[in-house]
Amino acid sequence: MARRPAIFVTLVLIAGAITGLVLYSRAGLFGLTGRHVMAQSPGSYGIGLDEPAYTDGARPGVTAEASELRFFDWSPDTGQYVLQALTTFPSSVLAIGAFFLLWRLLWRARDGVYLPQVAAQVRVLGWWLLAGGLLAPQIEHFAMMALLDTMAANEAHFGPKEIPVIVPLVGLGLLALANVLRTGVRMRDDLEGTV
């Protein structure tokens, strides 16, 4: 019995560490720890680099090329800071919410998985990942394009962004698992009623 809480505490600590890493990413805390804001153009440029710093390190027959175009504003206003935060905040909320819901799921499942509360918790986690996995990239893309629009003319593209399929796919899988668990709960209740 003492082993079960130790495993649970270990899982919570791992989830907390991953959440901390997500919150304080390479862009700092939601991109707000620097004195500037940065927007990246969605287009690819393929600008050739002929400076010795790049060409001297290349092997024969290899050319150096830059494909990303970034704009930096060293005197941003409050609106730009808000947009900068929105370029990473939705994914952070999605990750934190998923870790919290997973923690609740593990806590409820400590007495068994074929319980109505466990099936409901799996369903909530599935909907969270499905909806968040579809919405978070779109919100972040829109914020990045709005930020880019404050810094450069004719660079922003406000169309929908391609959605990474893994998070919504996991959400759909959890919704299917929740239905299986609900069926298992009903079958267990029917068996207990007949015995």
Side-chain angles (χ1 to χ4, degrees):
M1 281 297 191
R3 184 174 168 91
R4 193 178 282 171
I7 292 172
F8 180 73
V9 168
T10 304
L11 288 174
V12 169
L13 289 175
I14 290 170
I18 292 172
T19 303
L21 290 173
V22 167
L23 279 175
Y24 196 82
S25 65
R26 61 188 164 87
L29 184 63
F30 303 122
L32 299 177
T33 54
R35 290 188 219 166
H36 66 279
V37 293
M38 186 274 299
Q40 182 173 333
S41 176
S44 294
Y45 285 88
I47 302 167
L49 301 174
D50 55 359
E51 290 189 27
Y54 303 107
T55 57
D56 287 348
R59 297 190 186 277
V62 176
T63 60
E65 188 176 280
S67 62
E68 295 180 354
L69 182 58
R70 295 180 181 179
F71 296 90
F72 292 88
D73 188 345
W74 295 93
S75 57
D77 60 15
T78 305
Q80 288 175 313
Y81 274 124
V82 169
L83 290 171
Q84 178 79 38
L86 283 175
T87 62
T88 58
F89 186 71
S91 293
S92 300
V93 170
L94 176 65
I96 292 167
F99 286 128
F100 174 73
L101 291 172
L102 182 61
W103 173 76
R104 286 187 56 189
L105 171 63
L106 292 172
W107 185 257
R108 298 224 184 215
R110 70 187 186 280
D111 295 327
V113 291
Y114 290 107
L115 298 171
Q117 301 88 354
V118 173
Q121 200 65 45
V122 170
R123 186 177 196 82
V124 168
L125 180 58
W127 277 114
W128 179 262
L129 290 176
L130 179 62
L134 294 173
L135 290 176
Q138 300 307 320
I139 293 169
E140 290 175 351
H141 176 68
F142 181 79
M144 179 61 77
M145 293 305 103
L147 180 61
L148 181 62
D149 202 33
T150 66
M151 292 190 233
N154 301 325
E155 282 292 325
H157 170 66
F158 285 96
K161 183 182 180 193
E162 183 179 326
I163 297 173
V165 296
I166 189 69
V167 175
L169 194 60
V170 169
L172 285 173
L174 287 173
L175 290 174
L177 178 63
N179 286 334
V180 169
L181 289 175
R182 278 194 314 176
T183 303
V185 168
R186 279 198 300 265
M187 290 173 64
R188 190 190 73 178
D189 290 344
D190 290 344
L191 282 174
E192 286 178 358
T194 58
V195 173

